[in-house]
Amino acid sequence: MKKNIAAVLFLLMALPCCKKENATKVSNADILTTGTWRLTYLMFYDVFGDHDLYAGYPDCRKDDFFRFNKDGTEEINEGPTKCNSADPQIKIKQWKFLNSYENIIEIDGEAYYVDWIRNDEFRFKTATTDPYAPRRVIKYSR
């Protein structure tokens, strides 16, 4: 009995010594809307195979950068080089998360499943449950 009381007293004394973890969780929206992103991966999958679309992109597309704003707009900046000099420097699209889990995102009217959003990259894919439907996997990095 004395051993149990001693163990309980020890635990009670040790509790205030424990360091409390920071309970603040950064949301996917917070990560997404901080800074700018560059497209670094674009694959297309269909019944005929895997197609690396990013490899075929011209350099004038690979230098574009993207900013997701908290107001639900996405700015696509042509970057240092434009493919067509008549194109505007910045194009605006709309984006939003479609659920409170922030794991389904809609960009310009098209829904995607979010694979992950981290401080240095995020990846998403075409939202489909049909295993034979073509799909895209897209990754942006800082």
Side-chain angles (χ1 to χ4, degrees):
M1 179 75 165
K2 286 183 180 183
K3 289 181 184 179
N4 289 342
I5 292 173
V8 170
L9 287 174
F10 176 76
L11 287 174
L12 289 174
M13 291 182 347
L15 284 177
C17 299
C18 295
K19 185 177 180 181
K20 187 174 182 178
E21 294 293 322
N22 186 355
T24 306
K25 183 183 182 304
V26 178
S27 72
N28 284 346
D30 289 337
I31 295 170
L32 190 63
T33 57
T34 301
T36 58
W37 301 91
R38 292 204 186 271
L39 179 68
T40 56
Y41 181 87
L42 177 58
M43 289 291 289
F44 182 77
Y45 300 92
D46 62 14
V47 294
F48 301 108
D50 307 347
H51 313 280
D52 185 353
L53 300 180
Y54 183 78
Y57 265 29
D59 289 341
C60 60
R61 284 282 171 246
K62 290 180 179 179
D63 73 353
D64 295 359
F65 57 92
F66 302 77
R67 178 181 303 277
F68 293 84
N69 298 312
K70 290 184 187 268
D71 67 359
T73 59
E74 176 194 12
E75 296 176 17
I76 303 169
N77 190 308
E78 287 283 329
T81 56
K82 289 183 178 182
C83 294
N84 181 347
S85 61
D87 286 344
Q89 185 66 36
I90 296 175
K91 297 174 190 163
I92 303 292
K93 291 185 177 185
Q94 301 297 312
W95 77 275
K96 64 183 173 185
F97 284 111
L98 296 179
N99 61 10
S100 61
Y101 300 110
E102 296 182 343
N103 62 358
I104 302 175
I105 190 171
E106 182 181 270
I107 300 175
D108 207 27
E110 189 168 348
Y112 299 93
Y113 293 125
V114 175
D115 283 336
W116 67 75
I117 297 180
R118 299 189 293 245
N119 286 329
D120 61 339
E121 67 182 17
F122 76 95
R123 189 175 98 162
F124 53 93
K125 60 188 170 196
T126 306
T128 181
T129 56
D130 180 353
Y132 299 105
R135 69 186 200 292
R136 289 180 288 165
V137 175
I138 303 162
K139 184 172 79 172
Y140 291 90
S141 302
R142 298 259 188 219

